[in-house]
Amino acid sequence: HSKASTNKQPQTKCLLSDKAMTRSPESFDKTMLWEINGTFYDLSTFVNQHPGGKEALLLGLGRDCTALFESYHPFSKAKGRQVLEKFRVSNGAVSQSTETKEAASGKDYFYELLCQRVAKVLQENGVDPIRDRGATYTRSTYYLIIASALLLSGYYHAKVSVT
């Protein structure tokens, strides 16, 4: 190895659609980043670990996906932003756009107010918007009984039809 090879830019490995590629951190192109609230993120190494699946992340690649992020994380934005922070790209490393400051801020005050009001109504009705996201035990038991009845009914129907 020569001295010239030690002066190279550090490389970042990105996995998009299972195809590996490398690039230097200074060469970020907006089409290869996710933009949320005017901030750019390189989520390429997180795509395959995303709890909602890689397809959900790939929908936002190369565009302002603020609305997508906000709609999928209405009550868990703080945790989502904490994860995003690990993938933030320096603004200097991204080519500048001609968007206005209002558009770049990505703030949708109507949506924020809507989320707050929905969370309040849910809490007033005894539903925690973070914790109570799945079916209750009562509802799960009900579905189990219905599914069992359907299976049993199908079994007896097939048994009678054969004889």
Side-chain angles (χ1 to χ4, degrees):
H1 294 267
S2 68
K3 285 185 179 181
S5 66
T6 60
N7 292 334
K8 284 186 176 181
Q9 299 276 356
Q11 297 291 308
T12 304
K13 189 164 192 158
C14 302
L15 300 173
L16 293 174
S17 303
D18 300 325
K19 181 179 179 183
M21 62 184 191
T22 57
R23 66 174 184 249
S24 67
E26 288 76 26
S27 65
F28 287 114
D29 176 7
K30 281 183 169 184
T31 62
M32 299 306 293
L33 298 173
W34 289 258
E35 181 181 0
I36 300 171
N37 291 321
T39 303
F40 291 92
Y41 301 91
D42 180 8
L43 301 173
S44 56
T45 57
F46 180 65
V47 168
N48 292 323
Q49 287 81 37
H50 184 249
K54 69 180 182 181
E55 291 79 13
L57 275 186
L58 292 174
L59 283 172
L61 178 62
R63 66 175 85 184
D64 181 352
C65 56
T66 303
L68 183 66
F69 174 81
E70 299 279 339
S71 66
Y72 276 88
H73 305 94
F75 305 114
S76 60
K77 282 186 267 189
K79 183 177 181 182
R81 291 188 198 290
Q82 185 179 17
V83 170
L84 281 175
E85 199 56 38
K86 299 173 191 173
F87 302 98
R88 180 189 284 239
V89 174
S90 166
N91 286 340
V94 180
S95 60
Q96 297 299 314
S97 72
T98 57
E99 296 177 21
T100 64
K101 282 187 178 182
E102 293 81 22
S105 75
K107 279 285 186 191
D108 184 345
Y109 295 105
F110 172 77
Y111 185 75
E112 290 290 324
L113 182 61
L114 179 65
C115 285
Q116 290 170 6
R117 289 182 179 176
V118 168
K120 181 180 176 190
V121 169
L122 288 172
Q123 289 169 349
E124 287 171 355
N125 288 293
V127 177
D128 184 320
I130 303 293
R131 193 187 70 235
D132 301 329
R133 299 182 102 171
T136 62
Y137 290 114
T138 305
R139 183 168 285 170
S140 297
T141 303
Y142 170 78
Y143 289 137
L144 183 62
I145 291 170
I146 295 298
S148 299
L150 285 171
L151 288 171
L152 193 59
S153 172
Y155 170 76
Y156 282 114
H157 178 72
K159 187 176 179 180
V160 171
S161 297
V162 172
T163 56

